[in-house]
Amino acid sequence: SSLISAPLVPASANTLYLASITSRNHATVLNVSGLGLTWTRLRDQCSGRNQTGIEVWKAYGSPASNGTVTATLNTSVNTAVIAVSRYVGVNAANPTGAVVGDNTRGDNSTLCSGGIDASSYNVPITTSANSVIYAATSLRTRTHNPGAGFTERAEFSAGSLGSASSIAIMDSSISTASTYFVNGIFSSTVDYA
């Protein structure tokens, strides 16, 4: 198995932590640990040609000190990237809401073959009022531009050419409950998740 980790300074009490992990080739995350919190998987999304994939894990609580968040993968991979985000002041009873996925096969597809590389994505999600839409995208060797209303918080890459792993993290604050579109544009066509 492979380990990847990210150091993190915790925020104040009652904080939601989201760890997004991508790899080339796509590997399953066995577990995520760190900050003395309990981590659970929100979504595992393969790309449409299974060239990459992304998993998002969550933890909620009040860490006592700085620490490292570590993901353990089920197999060795060419490259892997982890990005950890934190959100303060979330609803303690329900810190996460709707979860959707997308790949080059289409909205919410969990199929990992038959996809056609694309240069953009546009995924609907229905939210509650006063929420934040969080999006994590695996984009291999491309760069990412967030869609209207989204702020890109991080974009990381490891490796090069065909063995690269890249991840883009973005979010958008939402005041009104409605269906919104998570969207972005890549620098070229890619097998994304």
Side-chain angles (χ1 to χ4, degrees), residues 43-193:
R43 177 75 184 233
D44 178 5
Q45 178 67 60
C46 61
S47 64
R49 291 190 304 110
N50 209 29
Q51 298 297 303
T52 188
I54 194 160
E55 288 196 32
V56 178
W57 289 61
K58 73 173 181 176
Y60 180 82
S62 305
S65 63
N66 297 357
T68 299
V69 176
T70 301
T72 304
L73 307 178
N74 71 331
T75 187
S76 295
V77 295
N78 290 325
T79 55
V81 178
I82 184 172
V84 183
S85 306
R86 62 182 181 215
Y87 294 90
V88 177
V90 300
N91 179 339
N94 189 21
T96 56
V99 177
V100 297
D102 186 48
N103 66 20
T104 53
R105 288 198 46 107
D107 297 349
N108 255 335
S109 178
T110 56
L111 300 177
C112 305
S113 65
I116 299 171
D117 291 9
S119 59
S120 64
Y121 60 94
N122 193 37
V123 183
I125 188 168
T126 302
T127 70
S128 57
N130 302 313
S131 59
V132 172
I133 297 174
Y134 169 89
T137 305
S138 175
L139 52 144
R140 296 191 57 214
T141 59
R142 309 297 189 246
T143 57
H144 178 264
N145 288 310
F150 284 87
T151 301
E152 187 165 272
R153 301 296 180 184
E155 188 168 334
F156 301 109
S157 182
S160 62
L161 303 174
S163 66
S165 293
S166 297
I167 194 169
I169 305 297
M170 65 181 187
D171 60 24
S172 179
S173 295
I174 303 300
S175 59
T176 306
S178 186
T179 297
Y180 294 90
F181 288 87
V182 179
N183 56 75
I185 300 171
F186 305 116
S187 57
S188 183
T189 58
V190 67
D191 186 33
Y192 69 87

